[in-house]
Amino acid sequence: FTMLALVVVCAIAASAAAQDLNCSGTPNTRPIWTAAPVLVASVPNASLYTAGDGVQNISVIHVYGGPYELGYAHGSLMRGVIANLYVEFFQYLAATIDQAIKFLPKALRDIIETRGVDGALDLIANLTAPYTPPHFVEELRGLADGAEVPYQTVVRVHMFPELIRAACSMFGAYGPATKAGSLSGGLMQLRALDWGTDNPLRKVPALLVYHPTQGHDFAILSWVGFVGAMTGYSQHAGISEKKWYKDAPTEILPQGVPWHYLLRDILQFDDSMTSALDRIVAAKKTASIFVGVGSDNEMEFRAVEYGVDTARIFDPSSPFPGYA
């Protein structure tokens, strides 16, 4: 459960850093949870643990197997939770989409006005399907079968990050920046999910720990019923995602691999900074975001301006753009 500890420690450290910088936010003074997660339930190829103080809890879900098995185990273990969450989530989208629609390409705005949010998510699914790795298709089919929900519903949920404009924060420090602290020059990588606390996903946070038959073991900090990676860690790499950049093109539809799938593939298959960055550069990309890539081997961090036709890599010798 080292991965869970890292996630919790990073969240506390980020709060402390914000306080030192005179941030207007409220510091998180909750203590770091160090007790061992407690086993709650298990099914073939999956185990559910819980960690927390009874007030603020997080599910820790271990899944094992090939793509379909991973999804099926996740779905069957959390069947009732997933079904209820998806209903609440789409109700939330329908009630709040008017706040976000002005930021979307006109083609998506038009579809939402005539066919609703489901129509826009279906269009994105069709546009990204030719670029989606088959193992994600299989995992989502397993998730749908295990949770006993329609496959199309699962796909729609997983297209949501491509519909909205993310507004998150990330941070990476190493070498001289962390030399004086307990890290002794090692890597500190953080990410904050800067999204409204009124959404139903907040009620079901989950640390999904994958033990796949192919690739590396890895963990993503996510929600029950969502398998894309916005924040994650393996023994080789850490990934984080930041907001859409200000000068991003506004009328481009997503036609490439969903960015949260690409970030998860970094965790599962890449074993160095070079291979992770090569994957980003070579991919047919969809979004205009900033991505953070950390290397557990090299103890270094890179920020990437990640766009449809862009992959600019920033290190300490290259100034980070002011529009970030």
Side-chain angles (χ1 to χ4, degrees):
F1 300 104
T2 302
M3 294 177 184
L4 175 63
L6 284 172
V7 171
V8 176
V9 168
C10 288
I12 300 298
S15 174
Q19 185 177 19
D20 291 343
L21 294 174
N22 297 315
C23 177
S24 60
T26 302
N28 181 351
T29 58
R30 289 185 175 276
I32 296 173
W33 185 257
T34 58
V38 177
L39 179 64
V40 176
S42 62
V43 297
N45 295 317
S47 298
L48 170 64
Y49 297 78
T50 186
D53 58 7
V55 178
Q56 297 290 330
N57 287 349
I58 183 170
S59 296
V60 183
I61 301 171
H62 287 256
V63 289
Y64 302 79
Y68 183 86
E69 294 168 322
L70 293 169
Y72 190 89
H74 180 179
S76 61
L77 182 68
M78 307 301 293
R79 181 173 296 147
V81 175
I82 291 173
N84 292 333
L85 174 65
Y86 285 178
V87 171
E88 289 187 51
F89 182 65
F90 284 108
Q91 291 173 343
Y92 171 81
L93 287 188
T96 59
I97 192 61
D98 287 346
Q99 303 170 22
I101 195 170
K102 63 183 178 181
F103 299 109
L104 301 180
K106 184 177 185 303
L108 290 177
R109 297 200 303 270
D110 291 345
I111 288 177
I112 290 172
E113 290 171 359
T114 58
R115 296 172 50 199
V117 178
D118 287 354
L121 294 171
D122 289 343
L123 174 61
I124 294 171
N126 290 334
L127 291 172
T128 58
Y131 308 95
T132 297
H135 57 274
F136 283 108
V137 176
E138 287 302 302
E139 185 173 349
L140 295 194
R141 289 195 183 281
L143 182 61
D145 290 347
E148 298 181 353
V149 297
Y151 173 69
Q152 187 177 32
T153 299
V154 176
V155 173
R156 286 171 175 170
V157 168
H158 285 80
M159 292 301 101
F160 176 68
E162 289 288 354
L163 176 65
I164 63 166
R165 293 203 164 206
C168 302
S169 305
M170 69 179 188
F171 172 86
Y174 62 94
T178 60
K179 186 176 181 179
S182 59
L183 291 175
S184 302
L187 174 63
M188 168 69 78
Q189 184 172 351
L190 312 174
R191 178 179 181 269
L193 178 64
D194 303 330
W195 191 29
T197 56
D198 58 340
N199 75 82
L201 300 181
R202 78 191 192 282
K203 297 185 290 186
V204 288
L207 185 72
L208 300 175
V209 185
Y210 278 80
H211 307 273
T213 54
Q214 294 184 327
H216 315 303
D217 289 3
F218 64 94
I220 57 173
L221 186 61
S222 183
W223 306 278
V224 172
F226 185 81
V227 306
M230 302 180 187
T231 309
Y233 178 80
S234 73
Q235 294 302 320
H236 302 278
I239 56 94
S240 51
E241 172 270 339
K242 187 187 184 299
K243 68 176 184 177
W244 280 61
Y245 53 84
K246 185 176 66 176
D247 295 340
T250 58
E251 293 301 324
I252 294 178
L253 292 172
Q255 299 185 64
V257 58
W259 60 265
H260 47 294
Y261 290 173
L262 187 147
L263 295 186
R264 210 192 89 171
D265 274 352
I266 289 175
L267 298 176
Q268 184 170 352
F269 299 112
D270 293 333
D271 55 12
S272 69
M273 179 75 73
T274 298
S275 60
L277 296 178
D278 285 348
R279 181 182 297 275
I280 292 173
V281 171
K284 173 69 172 172
K285 296 178 281 295
T286 59
S288 299
I289 57 178
F290 287 96
V291 169
V293 180
S295 170
D296 195 50
N297 299 324
E298 293 119 313
M299 285 295 170
E300 294 186 353
F301 177 86
R302 297 291 184 268
V304 182
E305 184 179 321
Y306 175 116
V308 172
D309 55 3
T310 303
R312 299 177 61 197
I313 300 169
F314 299 91
D315 61 23
S317 65
S318 53
F320 201 57
Y323 53 78

